Amino acid sequence: MPVMAVPAVPEIVLHTATPASGLRRLIASGAHPDPEPPYWAYHWAGGAVLARYFLDHPEIVRGRHVLDLGAGSGIVGIAAAKAGAMRVTTAETDGNAIAAQQLNAGLNGVCLTSMHADLTAGPVLDPVLDVDLVAAGDLFYAPDLARRVLLFLDRCLLAGATVLIGDPGRAHLPRERLRLIAEYAVPDFGQVTDAKVNAGVFALI
């Protein structure tokens, strides 16, 4: 996977999937008859818009402990670290994504603490008790996932954390709970080359 600058966020470079990357080998296994595709390997609008926002407004994350939920490649956490976050924790259910996050963090000269865990799966709030800001990009594309993510984010709000969501308007985005605070035109996974969509950064209220 070659190292490339992220479209719309050129301050960050990532190992990037290409047709020759052979990622199908990561999911073609008898041990995983119905595996998740390697979503972490591609650029998504919600992550890009959060990263762009953090770099443009470093005061949002400076000196804070940031949790990047469903972190994928780590782009949002990397942006937070580059913008001056005191500590960045990334949470992801895909072990290959965890490896990619650490490689990408090294490329960008920052440190991420990666958790291989589904924080939405249980009632325990301990991992986020000392988190100041929770960032969630591109997590509202499926109904069950959207429900679990929103319940978790509500627990974070109750614990006193700020919750920011990056999303281009996917089907299960809880619009009635959101306040738009920034918008950017960024590429999205599945779009034709060089195409861009308008994606928002929203505060959960």
Side-chain angles (χ1 to χ4, degrees):
M1 295 175 65
V3 174
M4 298 181 184
V6 177
V9 196
E11 300 94 327
I12 294 176
V13 295
L14 300 176
H15 289 281
T16 303
T18 69
S21 294
L23 289 177
R24 195 169 289 274
R25 290 175 297 173
L26 297 176
I27 61 175
S29 167
H32 301 282
D34 189 24
E36 286 286 326
Y39 291 131
W40 54 268
Y42 301 95
H43 300 308
W44 291 76
V49 76
L50 282 167
R52 182 72 269 155
Y53 180 69
F54 288 165
L55 292 170
D56 287 350
H57 301 276
E59 70 278 3
I60 300 299
V61 297
R62 187 180 297 123
R64 305 179 82 179
H65 179 190
V66 176
L67 171 66
D68 180 7
L69 182 68
S73 66
I75 181 175
V76 176
I78 290 168
K82 289 176 75 73
M86 177 180 65
R87 184 155 53 106
V88 178
T89 300
T90 58
E92 174 59 56
T93 61
D94 188 321
N96 292 311
I98 296 292
Q101 289 167 22
Q102 291 302 313
L103 290 171
N104 289 331
L107 286 174
N108 290 277
V110 300
C111 180
L112 304 179
T113 300
S114 295
M115 297 177 61
H116 186 192
D118 182 359
L119 296 184
T120 72
V124 179
L125 193 56
D126 290 347
V128 296
L129 281 175
D130 63 345
V131 168
D132 303 305
L133 188 153
V134 180
D138 300 295
L139 294 180
F140 293 93
Y141 58 86
D144 180 63
L145 176 63
R147 180 187 60 80
R148 291 188 290 111
V149 167
L150 186 57
L151 288 172
F152 175 78
L153 295 179
D154 276 338
R155 297 201 300 273
C156 295
L157 281 179
L158 287 173
T162 300
V163 175
L164 297 181
I165 293 170
D167 201 280
R170 303 195 194 282
H172 304 284
L173 189 67
R175 299 175 186 274
E176 70 284 356
R177 296 283 312 281
L178 304 179
R179 176 172 58 87
L180 179 66
I181 57 177
E183 191 172 41
Y184 296 88
V186 293
D188 193 23
F189 175 61
Q191 299 292 313
V192 297
T193 303
D194 297 328
K196 294 184 177 180
V197 298
N198 288 326
V201 176
F202 302 91
L204 183 66
I205 55 176

